[in-house]
Amino acid sequence: MNGHPLLEAREVSVRFGGLVAVDQVSAAFAPGELVGIIGPNGAGKTTFFNALSGVVEPTGGELYAGGQRLTGAKPHRYAQHGVARTFQTPRVFAELSVAANIDFGLQFAGRHRTASWLLKDEASILNLIGLQAQADLPAAAITPSQQRLLEIGMALATRPKLLLLDEVAAGLTESEVDAMAQLIRRLRDELDLTVIWIEHAVTTLLRYVERVIVLHQGRKIADGTPAEVVRNAEVIEAYLGDEMVEPA
Ligand SMILES: Nc1ncnc2c1ncn2[C@@H]1O[C@H](COP(=O)(O)OP(=O)(O)OP(=O)(O)O)[C@@H](O)[C@H]1O
Ligand SMILES: [Mg+2]
């Protein structure tokens, strides 16, 4: 550890023409944190992830990984710093087997980075995400929720330090959402990962994260513990009033 955050955004903005999708958002992520990101549709959550992983170049502000300036660098440079992500629309190779999809991630990772012993090979990753029985099926043949797990497995295969999860529980049943939240917690605990997790299933998310960032119209309106955030008047007004019909 060199004392720097794993990843840091300093007043990051992303504009699309006249629209400011991300508006001067600052946030630092320390090793081992599990951080949720919530906010209404169109709040800028995915665009912020795109900036944090080099998929989109910020139109303002700076990004640092381990204290090194990465603003404007391509996604592979972020990957070299241990940043891995999933996409809101799962991206798996439909015709390839589940195992081959994982293998792709392992090859992409190459030699660098210290692999956690738990991620040493395809079998250990399949075991971790619970898809051993589906290893030989084409990715197209598994259920949508299993495809979400597979996408997490592919990201894990790159042996990340920081995992960005964009709505991996979307479309899952209530019990599947809970299982997903438990898996995310386990990944953080057992693999020493830093995880940033975007999800609309706020009630569940707030039970599993230690810190939550709230975005609204591109701006960060809160960043604190779940207990702090659910009491924040601006957050309730902007978002939670609709999402949380019952107390967490
Ligand atoms: N490539 C793009 N070009 C133009 N506008 C975009 C682009 N990507 C996103 N936007 C706009 O930026 C804003 C933020 O979108 P974003 O997808 O980041 O929101 P989000 O918080 O992830 O929403 P959701 O919860 O629906 O996934 C929206 O108004 C969206 O229409
Ligand atoms: Mg999104």
Side-chain angles (χ1 to χ4, degrees):
M1 269 315 302
N2 57 10
H4 292 288
L6 218 46
L7 194 63
E8 185 180 4
R10 293 191 198 157
E11 302 195 347
V12 164
S13 294
V14 180
R15 273 176 179 282
F16 297 112
L19 176 85
V20 186
V22 175
D23 195 358
Q24 300 188 57
V25 174
S26 297
F29 303 97
E33 275 198 290
L34 171 50
V35 183
I37 299 186
I38 61 173
N41 290 116
K45 304 180 298 297
T46 295
T47 306
F48 185 52
F49 260 22
N50 289 343
L52 289 180
S53 54
V55 170
V56 146
E57 189 176 339
T59 48
E62 302 287 349
L63 287 156
Y64 291 84
Q68 237 181 295
R69 185 176 173 276
L70 280 189
T71 325
K74 297 288 170 231
H76 77 268
R77 291 269 293 126
Y78 285 80
Q80 280 168 0
H81 280 270
V83 178
R85 52 116 23 113
T86 65
F87 288 87
Q88 194 164 343
T89 310
R91 299 183 179 184
V92 298
F93 298 104
E95 280 106 75
L96 294 184
S97 70
V98 165
N101 270 277
I102 300 284
D103 213 46
F104 176 83
L106 285 167
Q107 283 169 24
F108 179 79
R111 37 223 183 303
H112 42 255
R113 277 200 301 284
T114 46
S116 157
W117 66 272
L118 274 168
L119 301 181
K120 63 185 188 306
D121 55 22
E122 195 183 281
S124 53
I125 293 168
L126 287 170
N127 195 40
L128 193 67
I129 58 173
L131 292 182
Q132 316 90 303
Q134 289 76 22
D136 298 324
L137 293 178
I142 61 176
T143 68
S145 59
Q146 290 171 336
Q147 286 182 9
R148 298 259 177 213
L149 293 168
L150 176 55
E151 227 210 344
I152 293 175
M154 291 171 74
L156 288 176
T158 69
R159 300 181 179 109
K161 289 191 255 182
L162 181 95
L163 186 60
L164 306 174
L165 303 173
D166 195 353
E167 296 200 33
V168 285
L172 306 192
T173 65
E174 213 169 304
S175 67
E176 285 173 338
V177 172
D178 228 63
M180 182 63 86
Q182 280 169 38
L183 173 67
I184 290 168
R185 200 45 183 262
R186 269 186 63 212
L187 297 178
R188 191 280 301 273
D189 291 347
E190 293 178 16
L191 305 176
D192 261 336
L193 282 177
T194 302
V195 179
I196 316 177
W197 177 25
I198 294 174
E199 202 64 69
H200 280 286
V202 174
T203 324
T204 306
L205 181 139
L206 290 175
R207 277 208 307 271
Y208 285 88
V209 302
E210 293 101 28
R211 177 182 159 205
V212 60
I213 290 172
V214 187
L215 296 183
H216 178 51
Q217 296 177 347
R219 286 189 311 116
K220 184 172 96 167
I221 61 169
D223 185 343
T225 65
E228 286 163 357
V229 164
V230 295
R231 280 192 255 103
N232 179 307
E234 196 179 354
V235 174
I236 293 167
E237 168 78 13
Y239 188 50
L240 292 183
D242 297 333
E243 293 290 325
M244 297 187 71
V245 285
E246 58 201 344

